Amino acid sequence: QLQLVESGGGPVQAGGSLRLSCTASASSSIYTRNCIAWFREAPGKGREGVAAIDIIRGDLAYADAVTGRFTMSADDAKGTVYLQMNALQPEDTGTYTCAARASSACSGPYWAAERVYGYWGHGTQVTVSA
């Protein structure tokens, strides 16, 4: 059973940066599912896909709202996936959650569809103040 754990959230001023981490619990490996994605949910809004990575092939996908500001990467040695968030804006505020699935098309047209992910973390809060 894959259990995901997020960290790195917190308060930040607009224009600042944060790096979120997603790793597996001690009893599992993040590499049991090759597609890892970050989703976020703001108060009063639905959950939206932010970015996804194929941790085996390195394929990436980003939401238009974060392209050029956010970078997703994977550290094989640490078994950890990161989301580097730069130039943060108040509209980036939300709970960021990582999710995992197995797929040969991690960055394909369904990368941001919640229903295709079977494993979820509990989320980390990001609050961007103006």
Side-chain angles (χ1 to χ4, degrees), residues 31 53-56 60 72-77 79-82:
Y31 289 96
I53 188 170
D54 183 328
I55 59 178
I56 305 300
L60 291 161
M72 193 167 179
S73 62
D75 185 324
D76 292 353
T80 300
V81 171
Y82 300 101

Side-chain angles (χ1 to χ4, degrees), residues 1-5 22-30 32 78-80:
Q1 181 73 10
L2 177 62
Q3 294 179 313
L4 302 174
V5 180
C22 173
T23 189
S25 64
S27 61
S28 58
S29 170
I30 204 167
T32 61
K78 296 183 178 179
T80 300

Side-chain angles (χ1 to χ4, degrees), residues 37-41 46-52 61-66 96-97 111-114 117 120:
W38 283 98
F39 286 79
R40 68 184 180 188
E41 186 169 12
R47 185 179 285 173
E48 62 175 347
V50 175
Y62 294 99
D64 290 344
V66 306
Y96 284 69
T97 306
W111 74 265
E114 293 182 62
Y117 292 89
W120 293 83

